[in-house]
Amino acid sequence: MVDTATTTDTATAPRPPRGIMTMLAIDRLSGIYATGLLVLFFTLQLPGLFFTEVTFKTELASVAITGILAIGILVPMVAGMFDLSFASLAGLSLILVVWLSAETTYPEIVLALIAIGVCLIAGVVNGFLVAYLELDSLVVTLAMSSVLTGLAELVTKSSQLYGIFTPEFESLGRDSIGPFPYLFLILLALALGVWVWLEHTTTGRYALAVGSNPVASRLAGINVRRIRFSTFLFSSLVAGVAGVLLAAQIGIGATTTGPGFLLPTIAAVFLGATQVKGRVNVVGTLIALLVIGTGIKGLQLWGAEPWVTNFFNGAVLLLAITAGTLRTRQAARRG
């Protein structure tokens, strides 16, 4: 005989309260909390210096190019590929625009199209070797990075180049609307477009499927090769545009500029993968940019030596990889 009282009590018993970490989504939004703590810390340490509109504007401007490159390489990563040539692509694009501005009388739009076209050629080579010849993406893009660095050295002859640009072109990289630099607004527009594509379109879901299980995707009728090839084209296109914007921002071309974006960009994408969705995603990447940008700007204003920036970026990348690996293992145990 069933004890109806027990059954009723069990059915109406309240659910155990959710943990405070779950309620606050600390595991998925830790970057926002970390940014808040960094802002609080540096505001207290640097009163009247850190928490100002000028600092806010310079921070957004400093992370804009990194963010644009991060959104660019996020797309091949969604499809399970890695593009390590993006930093050298952006550097070559920068150098070509600066060099052509001094050597020719072409308008900046033509210079930009030439630089972006060269980057797209590199993207075609990357995509063909990886998608159709099925070579390892890390090896291919690392080799391409070396090729591009060599071309950059050929153009610059290992010296700095100085561009000659119109004020309108320079304003694209240096001016702002209120506290928001044009470059940061371009980043937001690009991020919005990629977010819509990835989360709300069929081809975006196909790319996610390819990255999750390429064999099953192929059996389901998805053209895996075409999707992978397209992601490398997109990554190279974004890198080319980033180089053009960088030329407008700094006006100087050097072989060391592009490669300097390699570590912070990868750190932003990997840290972003620990936020929001537990995989590479646009919103998480933007949150990661806030963490990295706030930390670096605060350290710079605090008087930290230049090596601290590399140390900070490396530490963030190690933390992101560790957190992502532990989360994956925990999910596997639960499954």
Side-chain angles (χ1 to χ4, degrees):
M1 182 175 179
V2 178
D3 188 342
T4 55
T6 303
T7 304
T8 304
D9 291 342
T10 303
T12 59
R15 294 180 181 178
R18 299 168 64 189
I20 186 66
M21 292 187 65
T22 302
M23 292 176 62
L24 297 178
I26 291 178
D27 58 332
R28 295 184 294 110
L29 301 177
S30 58
I32 293 178
Y33 294 106
T35 301
L37 291 174
L38 287 171
V39 169
L40 178 61
F41 174 79
F42 287 119
T43 299
L44 294 175
Q45 294 296 319
L46 304 167
L49 180 61
F50 180 80
F51 199 74
T52 64
E53 182 177 333
V54 173
T55 300
F56 179 73
K57 184 184 296 185
T58 56
E59 179 186 337
L60 294 184
S62 66
V63 302
I65 298 296
T66 301
I68 290 170
L69 290 170
I71 299 298
I73 65 169
L74 179 149
V75 172
M77 287 181 69
V78 164
M81 302 286 101
F82 290 92
D83 185 358
L84 296 181
S85 65
F86 70 91
S88 295
L89 276 170
L92 180 60
S93 176
L94 161 68
I95 287 169
L96 287 175
V97 172
V98 171
W99 178 69
L100 289 171
S101 73
E103 298 293 327
T104 70
T105 58
Y106 297 139
E108 281 97 351
I109 184 64
V110 175
L111 308 185
L113 290 174
I114 292 172
I116 293 171
V118 171
C119 291
L120 282 174
I121 292 173
V124 168
V125 175
N126 283 340
F128 176 76
L129 293 176
V130 174
Y132 291 95
L133 295 188
E134 299 184 351
L135 302 183
D136 186 88
S137 61
L138 282 172
V139 175
V140 168
T141 57
L142 184 61
M144 178 60 72
S145 178
S146 182
V147 170
L148 296 170
T149 300
L151 291 176
E153 290 174 347
L154 174 65
V155 175
T156 62
K157 297 180 174 59
S158 300
S159 61
Q160 282 191 342
L161 303 178
Y162 297 88
I164 303 174
F165 300 117
T166 61
E168 293 78 14
F169 181 73
E170 292 179 342
S171 70
L172 182 64
R174 301 174 186 178
D175 290 348
S176 60
I177 299 177
F180 299 100
Y182 288 153
L183 291 180
F184 187 75
L185 295 177
I186 293 171
L187 164 61
L188 292 182
L190 175 65
L192 177 61
V194 173
W195 176 80
V196 171
W197 168 76
L198 183 59
E199 306 294 342
H200 299 283
T201 68
T202 302
T203 54
R205 289 191 290 271
Y206 283 172
L208 285 169
V210 169
S212 177
N213 193 326
V215 175
S217 299
R218 188 178 293 111
L219 294 175
I222 299 175
N223 192 326
V224 174
R225 288 179 172 176
R226 184 171 62 187
I227 286 178
R228 286 178 168 173
F229 181 81
S230 300
T231 62
F232 280 104
L233 277 185
F234 180 81
S235 178
S236 63
L237 170 65
V238 171
V241 172
V244 173
L245 296 174
L246 193 58
Q249 185 182 40
I250 63 177
I252 300 174
T255 55
T256 56
T257 304
F261 287 94
L262 180 64
L263 188 58
T265 302
I266 293 176
V269 176
F270 274 92
L271 180 59
T274 67
Q275 306 294 303
V276 185
K277 289 183 175 292
R279 59 166 169 80
V280 289
N281 66 93
V282 173
V283 177
T285 300
L286 294 178
I287 292 174
L289 284 170
L290 286 177
V291 178
I292 295 172
T294 302
I296 290 177
K297 177 56 66 176
L299 290 171
Q300 290 174 343
L301 293 176
W302 210 13
E305 296 183 14
W307 64 267
V308 176
T309 298
N310 288 329
F311 180 89
F312 183 83
N313 286 326
V316 169
L317 180 56
L318 287 173
L319 178 64
I321 293 174
T322 302
T325 302
L326 292 177
R327 176 179 288 183
T328 301
R329 290 176 180 173
Q330 187 178 26
R333 292 193 198 99
R334 291 175 179 173

